[in-house]
Amino acid sequence: MRQSRHGHGPKGGLNRGQNFQEAKGNMARLLKYMARYKVHLILVAVFILVNAYAMVQGNLFLQTLIDQHILPLTQVENPDFSRMLGAILRMAGLYLIGVVASFAYNRVMVVVSQGTQKQIRDELFSHMQRLPLRYFDTHTHGDLMSRYTNDIDTLRQLLSQSIPQLLSSGVSLLFVFIAMLTVSLPLTGLVVAMVFVMTKVVGRVGGSSARHGQKVVKVFCYEEQAKEKFNALNQELCAATTQANRLANSLMPLMMNLGNIQYVLIAIVGGLLAIGGVGGLTLGGIASFLQLSRSFSGPIGQVSQQINSVIMALAGAGRIFQLMDEAPEEDSGSVTLVNACYSQDGTLRECEERTNLWAWKQPHDDGSVTYHKLEGDVRFDQVDFAYVEDKPVLYDISLFAKPGQKVAFVGATGAGKTTITNLINRFYDLSQGRILYDGINITRMKKADLRRSLGMVLQDTNLFTGTVMENIRYGRLDATDGEVYAAAKLAGAHGFIKRLPQGYDTLIDGDGSGLSQGQRQLISIARAAVADPPVMILDEATSSIDTRTESIVQRGMDSLMTGRTTFVIAHRLSTVRNSDVIMVLELGRIIERGSH
């Protein structure tokens, strides 16, 4: 068992052992995405400043209200409340501005956070399309999907809630601190001392919460042992998570109680200072300072409440950026597939329009270009291959398939049948040997062009939500309706499609519900037929259907294979009786060759 370098391991986030520099780097990358919304962020900053100013002025207004309006009015027989009412109305207007500013910056941050998430998802998905197949073999689907869902959702909380809250709290603290200094220096010193205590509490409890962050361990070839240990590990995970949440959730109550203690101390010390005439502190000043102290400890509590969210978001950001930093699939090929036509002298040349005649365009070191007709001649020359170094799965594979020939591979599961077809597609590179396609080493071909010349029909059908016509046309997006009909007829799918409620315009969902397994497979065959590739790979295309349906699908596949070089993978000899040659594989070696 080994620890995954791409799971919630030591490099997953601050609460999983990530050092400060890594967290700083992740935050910097997030801020770069947010920087694309400069105007929005400037508006957010302005609204936060306005909101903080309104809050502080509201607290300071208590001193003015008590000292300049309420107390003077108690000393006259016929008090005039008009001045006090005007002051209250002005203050109410300022409060209203603060409320509007708070609402505005939260709304703007929704735009920023959702837009940033979209950019990250788009970039993540685009990058994932360029990753080699080997990456997906070594990462579970759940691990990948969690980056799009859980990890990006934690970023949403960070961007839409935590960062604005931290900014707002920071500005509020600054404004309130300045206001407290103008009211009373001694009481400000008392507040600073209490803040020091609060900071220590937050650091200790928050640190304890971080240490209880769980690690996810990925196992390879360790299934049975993992099953035996699952219950114990689950209990440990439950205990660690419970303790982490208990400590994290205790922060806010602790901060509130410390704030209450601070409130009482300020009232006592402030009263003593006012009685002693120290610092010119008035009754209104004490009332105002008490409100300011609340406004000062409040943001500290809000910051502490966001600690856990920030930690989780940075962990998620680390996993997202780790996927983005994975090296994309390399493609050093220079041979491309082009539309071709014959010149008057009988030589091939490249054509702009689609001719249904394809050629390999080969550039040479001297600057010249030659064209070789795409025919479908495939040859393996002493090929060795290993998914994992020093653990080979194919040994000395040599075979050939001339244009139009049908080559079948049979053998037990794990014998290496599918691996051979994966190598033809260059989903993996060889350990030793070479594969020639029309006499050209496939390592010299552009991967996209190589794969465009190959058609595949797999055991698992892959349909998407759309009409039957759209699902078949997916094999070649520029195919006409007539070409789609012809492909369906070739595959033997035209009959059942016409019996559907809307025929070719019948809407089917992604899992093909409403269609039988055989019908779904016939649509897949029609999709391959409309692409009209010279080489076909049929990988267990009939293994999941019954014998009667198999005969229908088999007729469609026989039509599809006509005139094409075809590689057929099957467990049962009955499905490959029409093959020109059958190769029996065992433990990565070809042990028999012959006819049915």
Side-chain angles (χ1 to χ4, degrees):
M1 182 170 66
R2 62 185 178 92
Q3 185 168 292
S4 170
R5 47 183 292 273
H6 36 261
H8 295 273
K11 296 186 179 182
L14 281 175
N15 60 336
R16 298 171 180 89
Q18 179 181 3
N19 61 39
F20 176 74
Q21 290 301 321
E22 289 173 319
K24 183 179 177 182
N26 290 336
M27 181 61 76
R29 291 180 70 168
L30 283 175
L31 294 177
K32 285 182 180 179
Y33 283 97
M34 297 178 67
R36 303 174 189 180
Y37 295 88
K38 291 180 182 177
V39 175
H40 294 77
L41 294 175
I42 290 172
L43 287 175
V44 168
V46 171
F47 291 142
I48 287 176
L49 289 171
V50 171
N51 180 57
Y53 177 78
M55 179 195 66
V56 170
Q57 286 300 314
N59 291 331
L60 290 176
F61 177 69
L62 272 179
Q63 183 176 10
T64 303
L65 182 66
I66 294 173
D67 293 343
Q68 297 183 19
H69 296 287
I70 296 177
L71 290 180
L73 290 175
T74 60
Q75 299 172 5
V76 297
E77 293 184 3
N78 298 310
D80 181 9
F81 293 96
S82 59
R83 279 186 66 234
M84 184 174 71
L85 181 61
I88 292 174
L89 290 175
R90 288 193 298 273
M91 199 61 241
L94 189 58
Y95 268 126
L96 180 61
I97 292 173
V99 170
V100 171
S102 176
F103 174 79
Y105 86 71
N106 279 291
R107 287 298 298 268
V108 174
M109 279 307 300
V110 169
V111 175
V112 175
S113 64
Q114 292 298 326
T116 301
Q117 285 182 84
K118 181 182 182 301
Q119 291 172 359
I120 291 175
R121 280 195 179 102
D122 288 345
E123 187 174 326
L124 191 64
F125 185 78
S126 176
H127 180 74
M128 192 178 73
Q129 303 307 302
R130 300 192 298 271
L131 294 178
L133 192 64
R134 188 183 298 274
Y135 179 85
F136 300 97
D137 285 342
T138 55
H139 293 73
T140 63
H141 295 166
D143 177 63
L144 292 173
M145 287 305 301
S146 71
R147 305 186 193 219
Y148 286 92
T149 53
N150 298 342
D151 294 335
I152 291 184
D153 188 60
T154 61
L155 289 188
R156 177 190 60 77
Q157 290 184 299
L158 176 70
L159 299 174
S160 63
Q161 298 177 21
S162 299
I163 289 181
Q165 188 69 67
L166 292 172
L167 289 174
S168 177
S169 298
V171 172
S172 298
L173 283 172
L174 178 62
F175 277 40
V176 170
F177 185 72
I178 295 173
M180 287 193 302
L181 288 175
T182 62
V183 175
S184 173
L185 285 174
L187 291 181
T188 302
L190 176 60
V191 170
V192 170
M194 288 299 298
V195 167
F196 177 78
V197 174
M198 292 180 183
T199 304
K200 287 294 185 182
V201 171
V202 170
R204 181 173 292 274
V205 177
S208 299
S209 172
R211 284 193 296 273
H212 284 279
Q214 66 271 19
K215 297 178 181 179
V216 174
V217 176
K218 178 172 289 187
V219 292
F220 297 90
C221 302
Y222 205 69
E223 290 85 353
E224 293 304 320
Q225 294 90 331
K227 288 177 183 177
E228 294 173 4
K229 294 184 178 180
F230 175 77
N231 288 333
L233 291 173
N234 200 26
Q235 288 296 330
E236 291 177 18
L237 172 62
C238 178
T241 305
T242 301
Q243 183 67 3
N245 288 331
R246 181 185 294 119
L247 292 168
N249 293 334
S250 67
L251 278 174
M252 197 61 184
L254 280 172
M255 298 302 298
M256 290 178 64
N257 283 301
L258 288 173
N260 291 334
I261 294 173
Q262 172 186 279
Y263 193 84
V264 172
L265 289 175
I266 289 172
I268 295 173
V269 175
L272 293 175
L273 291 175
I275 293 172
V278 179
L281 194 62
T282 64
L283 181 60
I286 295 173
S288 179
F289 200 94
L290 285 170
Q291 284 298 107
L292 288 170
S293 69
R294 285 285 195 195
S295 299
F296 193 76
S297 60
I300 296 176
Q302 291 168 352
V303 170
S304 68
Q305 198 174 24
Q306 297 299 327
I307 287 178
N308 207 39
S309 295
V310 172
I311 290 171
M312 291 176 64
L314 290 177
R319 283 165 44 80
I320 290 169
F321 294 139
Q322 193 175 55
L323 175 54
M324 287 185 177
D325 293 338
E326 288 287 342
E329 185 177 38
E330 296 180 358
D331 189 358
S332 58
S334 59
V335 178
T336 56
L337 190 62
V338 297
N339 285 296
C341 54
Y342 286 104
S343 302
Q344 292 182 349
D345 60 1
T347 59
L348 282 173
R349 62 181 177 86
E350 186 173 355
C351 296
E352 293 294 332
E353 69 278 3
R354 183 180 176 88
T355 62
N356 289 325
L357 175 64
W358 298 91
W360 297 110
K361 180 181 179 181
Q362 304 177 66
H364 300 285
D365 294 338
D366 60 2
S368 62
V369 176
T370 57
Y371 297 91
H372 185 89
K373 182 181 176 182
L374 173 60
E375 296 177 310
D377 185 290
V378 179
R379 298 172 184 269
F380 279 63
D381 183 14
Q382 296 180 321
V383 168
D384 292 345
F385 174 72
Y387 288 105
V388 179
E389 191 174 356
D390 298 329
K391 293 184 179 179
V393 294
L394 291 180
Y395 304 86
D396 193 27
I397 300 295
S398 293
L399 60 90
F400 65 88
K402 294 179 180 180
Q405 278 193 327
K406 301 176 182 63
V407 177
F409 300 109
V410 296
T413 299
K417 304 183 299 295
T418 299
T419 299
I420 289 178
T421 59
N422 285 339
L423 296 181
I424 298 174
N425 282 278
R426 274 201 76 193
F427 292 144
Y428 304 92
D429 287 325
L430 310 180
S431 303
Q432 295 289 336
R434 60 179 183 165
I435 300 175
L436 301 178
Y437 191 159
D438 290 333
I440 306 168
N441 194 319
I442 63 171
T443 58
R444 295 183 56 206
M445 296 177 175
K446 284 282 187 184
K447 290 182 178 179
D449 292 86
L450 168 64
R451 292 164 187 170
R452 189 149 56 101
S453 73
L454 303 169
M456 297 188 72
V457 179
L458 306 177
Q459 174 181 350
D460 298 322
T461 56
N462 292 285
L463 305 180
F464 59 87
T465 300
T467 64
V468 174
M469 175 77 76
E470 290 169 339
N471 271 274
I472 296 176
R473 184 178 280 127
Y474 190 68
R476 179 163 60 85
L477 297 179
D478 61 351
T480 65
D481 289 357
E483 289 173 324
V484 172
Y485 297 147
K489 290 176 181 177
L490 178 68
H494 181 74
F496 90 81
I497 294 175
K498 294 298 290 183
R499 292 193 297 272
L500 294 175
Q502 284 82 42
Y504 283 85
D505 293 323
T506 301
L507 188 68
I508 57 177
D509 56 27
D511 60 3
S513 59
L515 299 176
S516 69
Q517 178 65 30
Q519 289 171 334
R520 292 197 293 269
Q521 194 64 280
L522 288 175
I523 290 177
S524 294
I525 294 172
R527 179 188 291 170
V530 81
D532 196 23
V535 177
M536 283 298 306
I537 297 171
L538 308 176
D539 190 349
E540 300 285 3
T542 62
S543 63
S544 60
I545 53 182
D546 59 77
T547 305
R548 181 176 179 277
T549 306
E550 180 186 359
S551 64
I552 300 173
V553 174
Q554 188 66 51
R555 287 197 295 270
M557 290 196 302
D558 288 342
S559 300
L560 181 63
M561 291 187 290
T562 302
R564 292 183 172 89
T565 306
T566 308
F567 294 94
V568 183
I569 296 174
H571 283 295
R572 295 174 294 197
L573 284 173
S574 60
T575 62
V576 294
R577 62 170 59 92
N578 295 329
S579 300
D580 295 304
V581 62
I582 298 174
M583 300 194 181
V584 182
L585 277 82
E586 184 177 293
L587 300 177
R589 301 180 187 275
I590 298 176
I591 60 171
E592 284 188 82
R593 306 170 193 245
S595 65
H596 184 271

